[in-house]
Amino acid sequence: MSKFKHRFKIAEQADSCLVYTCDENTAQIDFVSKSCVRIAIYKNKAEMLPTFSVNPNNEFSANGRNRLSTDGFELYSPEKNISSSIHTFALADNIKIKLSPDNFILKYYQNDSLLFSDRAPLAYNFEHEFGSETYHYISRTENERIFGLGDKGGELNKAGRAFRIETTDCMGYDASESDPLYKHIPFYICENTVGCYGIFYDTSDTSYMDFGKEINNYYPPYKYFKTNDNCLVYYVFFGTKLSILQQFAGLCGKQAFPPKWSFDYCASTMAYTDAPESQKRMYEFISKLKECNLSCGGFYLSSGYTSIGNQRYVFNWNKEKFPDAEKFISDFSDKGIEIIPNIKPAFLDNHPMYKEIADKALFVKNPDGTPFVTEFWDGLGSYLDFTNPKAFAFWKEKVKETLLDYGITATWNDNNEFDVKDCDALAAGFNGSEVQASRIRPILTYLMVAASYQAQTENNPKLRPFLSTRSGGIAVRRYAQTWSGDNRTAFPDLRYCHYIGLTMSLSGLYFYGHDLGGFHGEMPSRELLLRWLQHGIFEPRLTIHSWNSDGSATMPWSYPDILDSVHSLFAQRKQLLPYIYNCAYNAAEREIPMNAPPFLYYDDEELYAYPDTMMLGRDILIAFVFDEGREKICTYLPKGDDWYMGDKLLEGGRIAELTIPSDAEMPYFIRSGCILPTDEAPYGFKPDEKIVFTVYPLKNGSFESEFFCDNGNSFEYLKNNCTHLKFKVHCDESTVSVAFENTGNTILEPDIRLCSGDTRKLIIKQ
């Protein structure tokens, strides 16, 4: 057999699966659902690493899942037409797949137009034609748009660029171009003139994605994926951008539903825990909250609480800084503020527990069994090997013993990029087979987060845990929220972090946020801090966090002369919390992102010219100011819906002009045909709640709306011990009629009002 020529023949065939072989190569097609297909290319004797990303049953396994498993899939039997030259498969929604057995070239059609295809004459690296790594080349069309890949920087549209798929600790990164950042998510959505498709490459190995940066005269335009993995397993999704995202997210398991307190302002700063009298500084924080009349749901406790000298030692409490940690935690909890302690998966080589852990062989190791040592936080250290069941159990024990038993209910899983690239470093692996640690870095992160989650659920089985993780693959969505990491204090980074956040959301990480104000650099200016807050109040994670170069702490009261503006923005967040929490429920249960660019929902070309906008749920549209010294902006209202701004109803498909001073509350547009729940009780240090349901009606027609709430912190909602209101609204020229029922077990009599400016009669039926 000559290279570049590979004739595949069917070796096995079933309703939803076909297996082809050619010499030592196997190619397998699984029809995962009516709109998703999985392709696997591998050598016959290759041993595949398990997947921890694909998990439709949402079940934990310390050994992961066979990458070719179909457990939990719907499976679909397409119409097949198999001839000697072309094999054709018909899926739903007029999707056809045509396979040429020569070199196993796949072409995908939508409504008989070519959506995309493998690159001919050869798309896969069957016999090292393209070198030693594993490749997949596919077609690229002019003006296609690409979204996803996790926390990638730059514009929302990634077309024409190239990216490394791996994780790194990139403190002070440039949000416009630094790469890689913290996440490993080789999933993207591509939109072209024919339609949309999504591709997810199921691998934990370091990879590379080129969306058209490379050009080769011998081939038509292409893009490609390259990985260090020894096989290629990838999923192709069809549908709208939203349905593709939802299919991918569902394939990977449900996003954990965070407790309600985590959507309030959660504070943090390196300065407080790096200070000599940290506990005193923390109590001063509570006093300042009271003085400024600000509410707070949590405090991210930076790693300075673990210090010995100038270094940080996970699971160690510095008794000089925190002489009575349990009382400190209890006092904060009594004020409704949960402590979220920073924990890191590496132990410095002079850590008090290092020898004990090394003697038990719980670290990632060298071939001779000694701990693998690498750079970590001002010293040398070793990473815990979470594929080792004893190390997994050790972590759980220490999380409980040093944190949860003190009254803590949350964890901040940080610095967990597992910066191990040496091919000699070994992990215990899965089912008794050692593996290069460099190949499973995002899996190690996932297992760390899973161990923390299990410790928390075992310690407080009735409480929904709260976890935050900086790094990881898509699997971490099942346990934790995330953020964009150690960003910079600069106006350009504000804009590009907006894009990074939406990119994470378009990659299945719905619960995210940023270090508002910027983490690394000088204290933000008044204007920059306010612009960050104007943005942050509409995102899931509302946290100011800093490590300013002058040692100062960025806090809500950093500038006393703008405190009234900060207070107003926090009050606006509190007013929206019932809606935000309802959006969180929809994200966890229905895969509807909390934040998304409007083009995820609207087929409207004009939207791409206005990237500085964002949807909060399906009913709120916000336009932001990201440029220093600017107040006036223009934004675009999507076609297909009308939009309320205050008491004015504006038609979709038009440009709206806004003036947004940096010290003002944020204006936003509300979609007609919705009911918006808001909290109208006064805002303050210990706020009450008074939910009001405001109807934003259509000019004519009917619509439905739903509202969820529960006790905010338990799993009781899974037993229907919650409020679940279902509204049906009919609008005509003279009346707006609202009927509702509560299908949950918790009684709530809704206070329903009609939006200001609408003079029709409101009729309420139960």
Side-chain angles (χ1 to χ4, degrees):
M1 181 199 70
S2 63
K3 291 190 175 185
F4 291 94
K5 292 183 179 180
H6 309 277
R7 177 72 180 182
F8 280 80
K9 297 180 180 180
I10 296 177
E12 300 176 35
Q13 184 173 353
D15 288 346
S16 61
C17 176
L18 291 97
V19 178
Y20 296 79
T21 59
C22 175
D23 298 319
E24 295 301 312
N25 297 297
T26 295
Q28 181 170 326
I29 305 177
D30 288 284
F31 298 94
V32 170
S33 73
K34 64 182 181 181
S35 54
C36 177
V37 61
R38 180 179 67 194
I39 311 297
I41 309 287
Y42 55 94
K43 294 293 183 183
N44 296 346
K45 296 180 181 180
E47 292 187 11
M48 291 187 192
L49 287 175
T51 178
F52 287 77
S53 296
V54 176
N55 193 336
N57 296 327
N58 226 51
E59 297 173 347
F60 175 76
S61 169
N63 291 311
R65 169 187 171 103
N66 186 304
R67 265 199 273 183
L68 299 184
S69 171
T70 58
D71 183 40
F73 293 161
E74 296 174 10
L75 297 181
Y76 183 72
S77 180
E79 293 183 16
K80 304 182 182 75
N81 185 355
I82 296 178
S83 67
S84 60
S85 58
I86 297 293
H87 301 180
T88 303
F89 313 100
L91 278 66
D93 299 324
N94 296 314
I95 296 292
K96 287 185 180 179
I97 302 174
K98 294 184 179 181
L99 168 67
S100 169
D102 291 328
N103 286 338
F104 203 79
I105 297 296
L106 290 156
K107 295 184 178 182
Y108 303 86
Y109 294 82
Q110 181 172 314
N111 297 319
D112 295 324
S113 295
L114 183 63
L115 181 63
F116 80 103
S117 68
D118 285 344
R119 189 188 74 175
L122 192 65
Y124 306 100
N125 199 22
F126 292 123
E127 296 296 335
H128 306 295
E129 292 93 339
F130 304 130
S132 60
E133 292 166 301
T134 300
Y135 284 81
H136 181 210
Y137 288 90
I138 63 174
S139 60
R140 174 170 55 86
T141 60
E142 187 177 359
N143 297 324
E144 68 182 17
R145 301 184 183 104
I146 295 176
F147 311 104
L149 293 191
D151 58 351
K152 296 304 183 185
E155 305 287 344
L156 278 172
N157 181 8
K158 309 304 182 191
R161 300 180 61 199
F163 302 91
R164 285 210 339 255
I165 312 296
E166 66 172 343
T167 62
T168 190
D169 184 339
C170 46
M171 202 265 282
Y173 64 88
D174 181 338
S176 68
E177 61 180 24
S178 293
D179 184 72
L181 300 182
Y182 302 96
K183 310 298 189 294
H184 177 114
I185 303 181
F187 163 77
Y188 67 88
I189 300 168
C190 182
E191 178 182 40
N192 59 32
T193 56
V194 174
C196 298
Y197 61 91
I199 298 183
F200 170 57
Y201 293 95
D202 187 12
T203 180
S204 62
D205 271 278
T206 294
S207 305
Y208 183 82
M209 193 84 75
D210 188 314
F211 291 133
K213 191 172 183 178
E214 177 181 296
I215 298 172
N216 188 316
N217 182 56
Y218 298 114
Y219 299 96
Y222 61 87
K223 48 187 179 283
Y224 72 91
F225 174 77
K226 176 176 68 173
T227 179
N228 293 339
D229 208 340
N230 63 345
C231 61
L232 188 71
V233 179
Y234 67 95
Y235 294 77
V236 184
F237 307 91
F238 306 97
T240 65
K241 292 185 288 292
L242 176 60
S243 70
I244 289 168
L245 174 59
Q246 291 175 318
Q247 289 177 70
F248 167 64
L251 183 83
C252 298
K254 288 173 63 173
Q255 177 95 53
F257 185 23
K260 189 173 184 179
W261 62 260
S262 68
F263 296 100
D264 197 355
Y265 162 58
C266 290
S268 189
T269 178
M270 294 283 289
Y272 284 12
T273 55
D274 281 355
E277 295 179 308
S278 297
Q279 189 164 319
K280 180 182 177 183
R281 294 291 300 273
M282 293 296 294
Y283 282 121
E284 289 171 353
F285 169 78
I286 291 183
S287 298
K288 199 67 179 177
L289 282 176
K290 289 181 181 178
E291 178 187 332
C292 299
N293 199 25
L294 299 174
S295 68
C296 181
F299 196 104
Y300 287 87
L301 197 68
S302 292
S303 56
Y305 79 96
T306 69
S307 65
I308 301 175
N310 294 323
Q311 293 181 307
R312 297 152 202 271
Y313 301 86
V314 62
F315 301 135
N316 173 71
W317 277 96
N318 184 314
K319 297 297 184 180
E320 293 181 358
K321 291 183 177 183
F322 290 90
D324 193 343
E326 289 185 76
K327 184 177 185 304
F328 151 67
I329 293 159
S330 176
D331 288 344
F332 266 66
S333 182
D334 289 345
K335 299 294 188 298
I337 305 172
E338 299 296 326
I339 295 297
I340 313 165
N342 184 287
I343 47 178
K344 308 179 191 297
F347 293 72
L348 293 173
D349 58 8
N350 58 354
H351 192 292
M353 284 188 276
Y354 187 90
K355 186 177 186 305
E356 171 196 350
I357 300 169
D359 289 346
K360 293 178 180 178
L362 305 185
F363 287 128
V364 172
K365 63 185 179 181
N366 295 309
D368 64 2
T370 58
F372 175 77
V373 177
T374 187
E375 291 284 343
F376 188 81
W377 264 87
D378 300 325
L380 295 173
S382 300
Y383 285 97
L384 209 62
D385 176 9
F386 285 89
T387 68
N388 182 336
K390 293 181 180 179
F392 190 94
F394 171 82
W395 182 266
K396 285 173 57 176
E397 174 192 344
K398 292 304 175 185
V399 168
K400 292 177 182 178
E401 178 185 297
T402 65
L403 300 171
L404 306 184
D405 288 351
Y406 282 34
I408 285 171
T409 63
T411 57
W412 172 11
N413 297 259
D414 198 14
N415 297 99
N416 52 358
E417 291 75 31
F418 286 85
D419 191 21
V420 180
K421 300 180 181 180
D422 190 325
C423 293
D424 289 335
L426 298 174
F430 316 103
N431 297 312
S433 299
E434 290 184 345
V435 62
Q436 292 175 357
S438 60
R439 298 193 60 199
I440 60 166
R441 293 170 57 203
I443 294 175
L444 289 167
T445 302
Y446 163 76
L447 290 173
M448 172 198 176
V449 174
S452 298
Y453 183 91
Q454 288 184 18
Q456 290 171 234
T457 53
E458 290 171 11
N459 214 60
N460 292 289
K462 294 182 179 181
L463 291 181
R464 296 204 305 268
F466 178 76
L467 296 87
S468 185
T469 181
R470 189 171 72 179
S471 185
I474 190 61
V476 297
R477 79 190 301 266
R478 301 195 288 270
Y479 300 123
Q481 59 101 275
T482 190
W483 81 106
S484 59
D486 298 341
N487 56 4
R488 300 192 307 190
T489 306
F491 266 96
D493 289 75
L494 167 59
R495 167 174 274 114
Y496 285 103
C497 278
H498 164 76
Y499 301 149
I500 287 173
L502 292 180
T503 296
M504 286 194 284
S505 192
L506 291 170
S507 306
L509 298 177
Y510 300 150
F511 298 127
Y512 74 89
H514 310 282
D515 286 349
L516 304 180
F519 177 77
H520 176 65
E522 303 292 330
M523 169 73 77
S525 68
R526 291 166 174 79
E527 183 185 2
L528 179 56
L529 178 58
L530 288 170
R531 291 302 189 197
W532 264 114
L533 294 179
Q534 287 178 333
H535 189 267
I537 62 171
F538 296 102
E539 291 181 309
R541 178 188 188 261
L542 177 63
T543 296
I544 302 170
H545 183 42
S546 62
W547 195 7
N548 296 334
S549 54
D550 62 359
S552 63
T554 307
M555 302 302 288
W557 45 82
S558 289
Y559 297 105
D561 54 319
I562 63 168
L563 185 55
D564 287 346
S565 297
V566 174
H567 192 277
S568 295
L569 288 169
F570 279 25
Q572 195 173 18
R573 168 70 166 208
K574 187 254 188 184
Q575 184 185 44
L576 286 171
L577 269 180
Y579 175 71
I580 289 171
Y581 190 63
N582 188 57
C583 291
Y585 173 79
N586 287 332
E589 295 296 319
R590 299 172 181 172
E591 301 295 350
I592 300 173
M594 289 194 68
N595 294 131
F599 61 69
L600 186 66
Y601 305 111
Y602 296 94
D603 187 14
D604 187 340
E605 280 291 311
E606 290 296 321
L607 287 169
Y608 294 102
Y610 297 88
D612 295 347
T613 60
M614 181 173 74
M615 298 290 294
L616 172 56
R618 282 293 288 114
D619 298 331
I620 289 180
L621 172 68
I622 319 103
F624 299 102
V625 177
F626 293 140
D627 296 310
E628 188 173 9
R630 187 178 181 187
E631 291 187 351
K632 295 182 183 295
I633 60 170
C634 291
T635 193
Y636 177 79
L637 304 180
K639 292 178 185 175
D641 281 311
D642 294 333
W643 300 88
Y644 287 88
M645 171 62 79
D647 60 359
K648 294 181 180 179
L649 182 60
L650 306 173
E651 289 188 2
R654 57 161 284 181
I655 292 173
E657 295 182 355
L658 294 173
T659 299
I660 311 176
S662 62
D663 59 356
E665 289 186 11
M666 279 294 289
Y668 52 87
F669 300 92
I670 300 171
R671 187 172 64 92
S672 68
C674 79
I675 295 180
L676 192 74
T678 55
D679 182 356
E680 300 301 328
Y683 172 71
F685 175 61
K686 286 194 171 182
D688 296 322
E689 184 178 63
K690 180 184 178 183
I691 299 178
V692 172
F693 297 86
T694 303
V695 183
Y696 291 87
L698 301 168
K699 293 176 182 177
N700 283 285
S702 300
F703 67 91
E704 296 182 359
S705 184
E706 294 188 23
F707 172 73
F708 167 88
C709 68
D710 67 344
N711 62 17
N713 60 17
S714 77
F715 293 100
E716 286 296 306
Y717 76 97
L718 297 173
K719 303 174 184 176
N720 206 33
N721 292 325
C722 59
T723 297
H724 199 153
L725 295 173
K726 297 185 177 181
F727 300 94
K728 293 184 178 180
V729 184
H730 179 72
C731 312
D732 59 32
E733 292 181 0
S734 59
T735 62
V736 175
S737 178
V738 181
F740 70 89
E741 64 172 334
N742 182 6
T743 60
N745 296 331
T746 304
I747 296 173
L748 175 66
E749 292 296 329
D751 181 354
I752 303 173
R753 304 175 186 180
L754 193 58
C755 66
S756 63
D758 196 301
T759 59
R760 287 175 281 187
K761 182 179 180 180
L762 177 65
I763 300 172
I764 300 173
K765 303 175 183 179
Q766 185 171 4

Short mmCIF file of all heavy atoms in Angstrom, two decimals, residues 133-134 203 205-207 226-231 439:
data_model
loop_
_atom_site.label_atom_id
_atom_site.label_comp_id
_atom_site.label_asym_id
_atom_site.label_seq_id
_atom_site.Cartn_x
_atom_site.Cartn_y
_atom_site.Cartn_z
N GLU A 133 2.26 13.57 14.63
CA GLU A 133 1.10 13.84 15.47
C GLU A 133 -0.19 13.43 14.75
O GLU A 133 -0.18 12.99 13.61
CB GLU A 133 1.08 15.33 15.83
CG GLU A 133 2.23 15.70 16.77
CD GLU A 133 2.44 17.20 16.88
OE1 GLU A 133 2.69 17.83 15.84
OE2 GLU A 133 2.37 17.74 17.99
N THR A 134 -1.30 13.56 15.46
CA THR A 134 -2.60 13.19 14.92
C THR A 134 -3.27 14.44 14.37
O THR A 134 -3.37 15.46 15.06
CB THR A 134 -3.46 12.55 16.03
OG1 THR A 134 -2.80 11.38 16.52
CG2 THR A 134 -4.84 12.18 15.52
N THR A 203 -10.30 14.94 23.66
CA THR A 203 -8.94 14.58 24.05
C THR A 203 -8.49 15.45 25.20
O THR A 203 -8.89 16.61 25.31
CB THR A 203 -7.97 14.72 22.87
OG1 THR A 203 -6.65 14.34 23.30
CG2 THR A 203 -7.92 16.15 22.34
N ASP A 205 -5.09 15.56 25.67
CA ASP A 205 -3.72 15.87 25.27
C ASP A 205 -3.60 17.32 24.80
O ASP A 205 -4.56 17.91 24.29
CB ASP A 205 -3.30 14.95 24.12
CG ASP A 205 -2.68 13.66 24.61
OD1 ASP A 205 -1.49 13.66 24.92
OD2 ASP A 205 -3.41 12.64 24.68
N THR A 206 -2.40 17.86 24.92
CA THR A 206 -2.11 19.18 24.35
C THR A 206 -2.37 19.13 22.85
O THR A 206 -1.97 18.19 22.16
CB THR A 206 -0.65 19.56 24.62
OG1 THR A 206 -0.48 19.74 26.03
CG2 THR A 206 -0.29 20.85 23.91
N SER A 207 -3.06 20.16 22.37
CA SER A 207 -3.49 20.17 20.97
C SER A 207 -3.30 21.56 20.38
O SER A 207 -2.88 22.50 21.06
CB SER A 207 -4.96 19.73 20.86
OG SER A 207 -5.17 18.46 21.46
N LYS A 226 -4.74 19.54 15.44
CA LYS A 226 -3.57 18.68 15.63
C LYS A 226 -3.46 18.37 17.12
O LYS A 226 -3.65 19.24 17.96
CB LYS A 226 -2.32 19.40 15.14
CG LYS A 226 -1.03 18.64 15.38
CD LYS A 226 0.17 19.37 14.79
CE LYS A 226 0.48 20.67 15.51
NZ LYS A 226 1.75 21.29 15.04
N THR A 227 -3.15 17.14 17.44
CA THR A 227 -3.05 16.75 18.85
C THR A 227 -1.90 15.78 19.07
O THR A 227 -1.52 15.03 18.15
CB THR A 227 -4.38 16.13 19.34
OG1 THR A 227 -4.24 15.74 20.71
CG2 THR A 227 -4.79 14.93 18.50
N ASN A 228 -1.40 15.77 20.29
CA ASN A 228 -0.39 14.79 20.68
C ASN A 228 -0.99 13.42 20.96
O ASN A 228 -0.26 12.45 21.18
CB ASN A 228 0.35 15.26 21.94
CG ASN A 228 1.19 16.50 21.68
OD1 ASN A 228 1.55 16.79 20.55
ND2 ASN A 228 1.51 17.23 22.75
N ASP A 229 -2.32 13.35 20.99
CA ASP A 229 -3.00 12.09 21.27
C ASP A 229 -2.67 11.06 20.20
O ASP A 229 -2.33 11.40 19.06
CB ASP A 229 -4.52 12.34 21.31
CG ASP A 229 -5.26 11.36 22.20
OD1 ASP A 229 -4.72 10.28 22.49
OD2 ASP A 229 -6.40 11.68 22.61
N ASN A 230 -2.82 9.77 20.55
CA ASN A 230 -2.50 8.70 19.60
C ASN A 230 -3.71 8.29 18.77
O ASN A 230 -3.64 7.35 17.98
CB ASN A 230 -1.95 7.48 20.34
CG ASN A 230 -2.97 6.88 21.30
OD1 ASN A 230 -3.98 7.51 21.63
ND2 ASN A 230 -2.70 5.67 21.78
N CYS A 231 -4.85 8.98 18.96
CA CYS A 231 -6.04 8.67 18.19
C CYS A 231 -6.86 9.94 18.04
O CYS A 231 -6.56 10.98 18.65
CB CYS A 231 -6.86 7.58 18.87
SG CYS A 231 -7.45 8.06 20.51
N ARG A 439 -0.18 14.17 29.52
CA ARG A 439 -1.29 13.85 28.63
C ARG A 439 -2.65 14.06 29.28
O ARG A 439 -3.67 14.06 28.58
CB ARG A 439 -1.18 12.40 28.14
CG ARG A 439 0.07 12.08 27.35
CD ARG A 439 -0.08 10.74 26.66
NE ARG A 439 -1.22 10.76 25.75
CZ ARG A 439 -1.82 9.66 25.30
NH1 ARG A 439 -1.41 8.46 25.69
NH2 ARG A 439 -2.84 9.76 24.47
#
